[in-house]
Structure formats: C-alpha cells, structure tokens
Amino acid sequence: MRNVTVFVTLKQGVLDPQGKAIQESLNSLGYQEVQGARVGKYIELQVEDGPNLEARIKEMCDKLLANPVIEDYSFDVEEAVRS
Amino acid sequence: MRNVTVFVTLKQGVLDPQGKAIQESLNSLGYQEVQGARVGKYIELQVEDGPNLEARIKEMCDKLLANPVIEDYSFDVEEAVRS
C-alpha cells in the first residue's frame, strides 16, 4: 500500500476569490502582514501498489482530481506505514 | 517576505464525504487500486517578516484558517525567493 499526496493549485494568473477573501479576512482581523493568499486542495489517497503506479496517478489527476485548464498539480508517493 | 504553506486536514475519525466521493469516482473510472481518499486544504500565504511570526500564524490558523474542533493543521515557513 502506498500513501499518495496530491497537491492541486490554481495556475498563476487565475483569479482566486477564495484566497482573496482569506487575505482580506486576515487583514481585517489585524494580521496586516499577510500580503497574499491562494487556496488549493490537498488530497491523500491510499493506493494498492502495482505496475505503472505513477503513470496511473497522473491519469487520475488529469481525469478527475484537477482541472488541467486552470489548475496545476503535483504528487508524492510514499510507502504506507503498516501497523 | 516569507512564504507560508498551511495544510488543513480533517481529524482522524471525522467523516469526509468529499473524499468518499473521490474514492468512488476513481473506482468507477477503473482505478480499483484506490482504497481511500481524504481531502484537505492547502493555503499559501505571503507574509511580511516580523516578530513572533510562527505564533501569529498559529493564531491565524486557530481563528480563521482551520476549525480546530474537526480539523488539524500544520504549516511550513520559507524565505520567499526575491525576483
């Protein structure tokens, strides 16, 4: 079993209203030092080991987890700790 | 300027219907090897350097970025690359 962590972020240049709202909320709470905020997704998958694991995860990202038109993604694959 | 990356995840034991939907969608697309999925948030902040930076970021997480009742968070602080 592998733990796969997928990070999905908006591409540079794509407007991020949720991030803007977070920045403005933090500023109005007194955290004036926050100059920018962008929000992405963080997806943890438990995946059975198999052939072409990385290629299949890339496919999953392209087909379902990210929207390649407006989002970038990256992922890490780690051996799951067995208990 | 610092780049702060905040990861917000649901606590162990809290139901994650979005993750369940992702798992079932991947399974029905033919990715039977996916045994579990959990979704979190990934927030990138640009923060002016200052005293008590880490303590202030912890406060931001507790007050706004995460719901400490059902979510865990962690964060990394990095020196921003100046261009």
Side-chain angles (χ1 to χ4, degrees), chain A residues 1 7 9 22 30-31 33-40 42-48 56 59 63 65, chain B residues 1 7 9 22 26 30-31 33-40 42-48 56 59 63 65:
Chain A
M1 191 74 91
F7 301 94
T9 51
I22 284 177
Y31 301 105
E33 68 265 44
V34 179
Q35 303 287 306
R38 287 181 78 77
V39 181
Y42 168 82
I43 305 164
E44 292 173 337
L45 301 174
Q46 277 77 54
V47 185
E48 291 280 356
R56 285 177 70 86
E59 268 179 35
K63 283 191 190 166
L65 301 178
Chain B
M1 190 74 90
F7 301 94
T9 51
I22 285 177
L26 287 171
Y31 301 105
E33 67 265 45
V34 179
Q35 303 287 305
R38 287 182 79 77
V39 181
Y42 168 83
I43 304 163
E44 291 173 339
L45 301 174
Q46 277 78 54
V47 184
E48 291 281 356
R56 285 178 71 86
E59 267 179 35
K63 282 191 191 166
L65 301 178

Side-chain angles (χ1 to χ4, degrees), chain B residues 21-33:
Chain B
I22 285 177
Q23 183 197 338
E24 288 172 4
S25 300
L26 287 171
N27 291 160
S28 69
L29 283 171
Y31 301 105
Q32 301 293 340
E33 67 265 45

Side-chain angles (χ1 to χ4, degrees), chain A residues 54-69:
Chain A
E54 300 223 349
R56 285 177 70 86
I57 290 163
K58 200 166 173 313
E59 268 179 35
M60 293 179 208
C61 291
D62 284 322
K63 283 191 190 166
L64 186 83
L65 301 178
N67 174 350
V69 177

